[in-house]
Amino acid sequence: RKFQDLFESSRDAIMTLEPPSWRFTSGNPATVKMFRTKNEEEFISHGPWELSADRQPDGRASAEKAKEMIETAMREGSHLFEWMHRRIGGEDFFADVLLTRMEREGKAMLQATVRDITERKQAEEALRASEAKYRTIIDMCPNGILIADVETKGLRYANLAACRMLGYTSEELATM
């Protein structure tokens, strides 16, 4: 009963997959909510590749890559990776996935724990965009700007104006 309560109350999606088809065989309430299925029965009618973007961000087909992730988890005992999933309505979302090999009634299977990381990915993208914007501003500044590392006392960055004033490339300045 204690473990059933943990399974049902988790905010992370928890599901199981079993060979040979590697289709889902269970999913907790968070799974139903995350993938926007009507119920657990609708969820388990799918395989992992059917609830994934057609291709992962590295360009590989999800169906092919899912099999590789499953094989790695079965061989190594667990496998943690990022994955582009797809909700029933067609919306893609990034997730951290932890596959853990387990045995039940003498049969090897996998437990998957999935956490939606959409907000984290959006924050990372906003940070990259902000960094690019400020780097452009600093690079275009007519004044020379040098950034030093306090601990190593070496230069970490020189904008274009500083390079022109000193007569070095940014790579040359970084080695000084």
Side-chain angles (χ1 to χ4, degrees), residues 60-113:
R60 293 182 59 200
S62 290
E64 169 192 319
K65 193 168 181 176
K67 290 175 181 148
E68 181 181 309
M69 300 296 104
I70 288 167
E71 288 170 3
T72 300
M74 290 300 287
R75 182 178 62 252
E76 296 179 10
S78 69
H79 188 45
L80 177 64
F81 53 93
E82 282 188 8
W83 193 258
M84 180 66 77
H85 273 293
R86 180 169 287 159
R87 300 184 209 284
I88 289 297
E91 175 192 356
D92 291 342
F93 68 99
F94 277 104
D96 278 339
V97 176
L98 173 62
L99 296 179
T100 305
R101 186 178 197 266
M102 55 186 270
E103 290 203 20
R104 187 167 58 193
E105 298 172 4
K107 292 173 54 178
M109 57 186 291
L110 289 173
Q111 173 191 309
T113 304

Side-chain angles (χ1 to χ4, degrees), residues 38-51:
K38 293 178 191 124
N39 51 40
E40 183 183 24
E41 290 72 32
E42 181 183 11
F43 174 76
I44 66 173
S45 70
H46 299 282
W49 46 89
E50 296 168 329
L51 293 174

Side-chain angles (χ1 to χ4, degrees), residues 129-146:
S130 177
E131 183 179 340
K133 179 172 92 175
Y134 289 105
R135 184 173 294 273
T136 299
I137 290 168
I138 290 172
D139 279 344
M140 295 297 139
C141 180
N143 300 323
I145 298 173
L146 299 170

Side-chain angles (χ1 to χ4, degrees), residues 112-138:
T113 304
V114 178
R115 178 172 290 165
D116 186 334
I117 59 170
T118 301
E119 288 180 16
R120 184 177 87 199
K121 287 295 195 178
Q122 290 169 343
E124 288 171 357
E125 183 54 38
L127 183 61
R128 276 191 292 278
S130 177
E131 183 179 340
K133 179 172 92 175
Y134 289 105
R135 184 173 294 273
T136 299
I137 290 168
I138 290 172

